[in-house]
Amino acid sequence: MTSGDTCSTPAPHRAASDADLGRAAHEPVVRTLLEPRSVAVVGASNDLRKPGARVLRNIVTHGYEGEVFPVSQGSEIVQGLPAYTSVTALPRTPDVAIVAIPIAGAVAVTEECARRGVRAVVLISADPPGSDDHHDALARVRERYPGTRILGASSLGVHGGHARFAGNFGTATEGEFDFVPSDVFILSQSGGVGGYVLSAAHASGLKIGGYISTGREVDLTFAELLTKTVDEYAPRLVLGYLEGTQDLAAFSSALQYARQRDVVVVLLRGGVTGAGRSAARRHSGLEPFDDESWRAAVDGAGALTARSIEEMLDIARAAASRRCRKDARFSVVAASGGATVLMVDALAQEGFGLARWQDSDKAELRRLLPEQAVLDNPIDATGAIFSRRHTLRSVLEVCVRHDGTDAVILTLGNMPHLDEHVFAEISAIASEVGKLVVVVWAGGSPDAVRRLAGLGVLAFSDAARCAYALRRAADIGPA
């Protein structure tokens, strides 16, 4: 049944055939979740303290253009929309049903959705570890109705940038939020952590095309969602938070598949210590990775790993830019001698080297900068780099033309009155040349990194973070 069908008598129970399973395996699951033509919210409410109310509010306030069907047994009108008493009572079959009621009732609703022909059910309903009866019942529904996929339970929901679809009860998209058809995606076994990544990515200027909270993975797993995201969207980047897996071989294969399709995967693992693994078991109900199996799966597929959310986003932004080689040679430019010292230290600690400048190479810089400027790479241009309107641009042009330079790093900060001028100069060079131009904005002007990102310039707030991210991105080779 498609989303345009009218409901009559619910389909009878039948066993899944091989043909059913084959069709289900090829359904565009991720695109259905992130770009549904219609959605039902079961447990919809006017009380914004309840998850169902927040799901509905998030969907209707961000410009989603599909049909929205609130399902509520307590109100005829919910948040200005006509409500229905059940999924069976809906005038049409929705592509997706988001279920936000207690888990005991959610099992029956999931089966009702499956009989109705709903393509995907997102279970916001909490299913804490240890409640295996509910988990097993949901698994049986999935087995009987292979055409309906189940996300969750205990999922925060989904975020579809391509369709302006905020099908979740989180707070990450509250207020103004850029919904864009980006080729960067987030998969997370924790709804909260995934929401943190989504918010932090938005704040750093990294646009997200889709986010899926996998929850307890009664059906759709991290591994399957990664594979299908690669198939259905051909992303540049997938950012993942995970704590464990039901099938290590499937997880490893998914990473390998992403690598074969030139998709960069950046992973943050939870449960790396004994205490963390105990907490992870309680949280996700999955068996946490041990160090050896994690390392084998990740290293074998060339995936990148991060130690924090900020580091994950740093690596992601570096990997999304023009990536440099492991043997790349850098030219470093700053308005402060100390800033050049910190930057070359950070580069050296990550195994990067500096480009060599001959006296003949320095002649053009000497014409642009005062006598006290240090022209041996790293280049301390002093504050004179801002003395005339186009001096900064001219210095950068000399650096990017230098034959021995693979990438240029500019370290700045504390220029609130020069920001617009500086941003325009940097953006012009970064967009015109074939070499990587990176900015480290080390102090003051706290929104500088985000503003530069909006202009397409790779920027960081700290030299060490910059060098570490560039190195991890270099580990996967040039784009």
Side-chain angles (χ1 to χ4, degrees):
M1 216 179 259
T2 66
S3 62
D5 291 330
T6 302
C7 176
S8 53
T9 304
H13 163 73
R14 62 181 176 80
S17 67
D18 289 342
D20 288 328
L21 294 172
R23 283 193 296 271
H26 292 91
E27 283 294 310
V29 175
V30 174
R31 197 171 289 275
T32 295
L33 288 167
L34 301 182
E35 300 182 60
R37 294 164 296 178
S38 53
V39 58
V41 180
V42 181
S45 167
N46 292 307
D47 183 353
L48 291 178
R49 294 172 298 180
K50 297 181 177 180
R54 298 203 296 276
V55 171
L56 184 59
R57 177 203 54 192
N58 285 348
I59 291 172
V60 301
T61 58
H62 284 295
Y64 170 67
E65 294 183 352
E67 290 185 286
V68 182
F69 302 116
V71 175
S72 171
Q73 295 186 346
S75 304
E76 294 184 357
I77 302 293
V78 177
Q79 297 186 36
L81 297 174
Y84 301 85
T85 56
S86 67
V87 172
T88 303
L90 297 178
R92 284 171 293 284
T93 301
D95 282 347
V96 171
I98 301 177
V99 180
I101 61 175
I103 189 65
V107 174
V109 169
T110 300
E111 183 158 11
E112 181 187 10
C113 290
R115 289 198 306 266
R116 182 72 198 260
V118 176
R119 295 170 65 190
V121 176
V122 179
L123 284 176
I124 301 295
S125 309
D127 183 25
S131 54
D132 290 339
D133 289 348
H134 301 138
H135 192 280
D136 293 345
L138 289 166
R140 288 193 293 272
V141 172
R142 168 63 185 140
E143 183 178 355
R144 288 197 296 269
Y145 301 96
T148 296
R149 303 306 306 270
I150 302 171
L151 181 69
S154 303
S155 169
L156 185 79
V158 301
H159 163 90
H162 295 245
R164 304 188 65 85
F165 181 57
N168 62 78
F169 72 98
T171 58
T173 56
E174 288 185 353
E176 294 185 7
F177 195 94
D178 296 331
F179 283 77
V180 292
S182 167
D183 53 6
V184 181
F185 290 76
I186 299 169
L187 302 176
S188 178
Q189 289 179 341
S190 164
V193 171
Y196 301 157
V197 176
L198 180 61
S199 296
H202 185 253
S204 72
L206 182 66
K207 309 303 183 187
I208 301 298
Y211 157 52
I212 299 176
S213 164
T214 71
R216 290 204 62 206
E217 301 189 2
V218 67
D219 174 23
L220 288 166
T221 65
F222 185 101
E224 183 179 359
L225 287 166
L226 173 58
T227 299
K228 288 186 176 293
T229 299
V230 170
D231 275 340
E232 296 173 31
Y233 282 97
R236 280 183 307 160
L237 281 165
V238 176
L239 312 182
Y241 171 78
L242 67 168
E243 298 169 351
T245 181
Q246 302 171 34
D247 187 337
L248 181 62
F251 172 65
S252 181
S253 295
L255 292 181
Q256 293 278 2
Y257 184 67
R259 178 63 168 169
Q260 292 164 8
R261 298 287 294 271
D262 295 323
V263 178
V264 177
V265 179
V266 186
L267 299 173
L268 174 61
R269 170 189 166 199
V272 298
T273 66
R277 282 189 283 273
S278 294
R281 287 189 189 93
R282 293 192 296 271
H283 170 240
S284 65
L286 298 170
E287 182 59 30
F289 295 96
D290 62 72
D291 293 342
E292 184 177 354
S293 61
W294 170 262
R295 200 73 271 158
V298 172
D299 290 349
L304 303 178
T305 58
R307 298 165 297 187
S308 68
I309 291 173
E310 283 192 341
E311 194 171 276
M312 170 188 275
L313 294 175
D314 284 347
I315 295 170
R317 292 186 296 110
S321 69
R322 294 187 183 94
R323 298 193 294 275
C324 55
R325 303 186 311 271
K326 294 181 182 181
D327 61 351
R329 298 292 168 177
F330 286 80
S331 284
V332 175
V333 184
S336 159
T340 67
V341 173
L342 289 174
M343 192 68 247
V344 298
D345 271 348
L347 289 171
Q349 287 166 348
E350 295 299 337
F352 288 121
L354 298 179
R356 300 186 66 176
W357 285 64
Q358 305 296 331
D359 289 343
S360 57
D361 299 323
K362 303 171 192 173
E364 197 169 359
L365 286 178
R366 178 56 67 200
R367 289 193 292 270
L368 295 169
L369 297 170
E371 184 177 352
Q372 66 269 27
V374 177
L375 305 185
D376 292 310
N377 190 23
I379 299 162
D380 177 7
T382 76
I385 200 171
F386 309 114
S387 60
R388 292 188 299 274
R389 183 165 183 80
H390 297 299
T391 300
L392 172 61
R393 176 168 181 162
S394 297
V395 169
L396 290 177
E397 286 175 340
V398 173
C399 291
V400 297
R401 286 201 306 266
H402 180 246
D403 287 340
T405 295
D406 299 305
V408 177
I409 295 183
L410 175 65
T411 299
L412 302 174
N414 292 346
M415 294 178 295
H417 303 300
L418 293 173
D419 286 358
E420 296 304 328
H421 164 219
V422 171
F423 291 168
E425 300 274 274
I426 297 169
S427 175
I429 291 296
S431 63
E432 294 170 7
V433 302
K435 294 180 180 178
L436 179 64
V437 177
V438 185
V439 175
V440 173
W441 200 284
S445 307
D447 199 34
V449 169
R450 176 179 168 80
R451 290 167 65 188
L452 286 165
L455 296 171
V457 179
L458 179 60
F460 300 89
S461 61
D462 176 79
R465 286 176 60 178
C466 170
Y468 184 86
L470 291 174
R471 184 63 191 187
R472 300 290 80 73
D475 287 343
I476 58 174

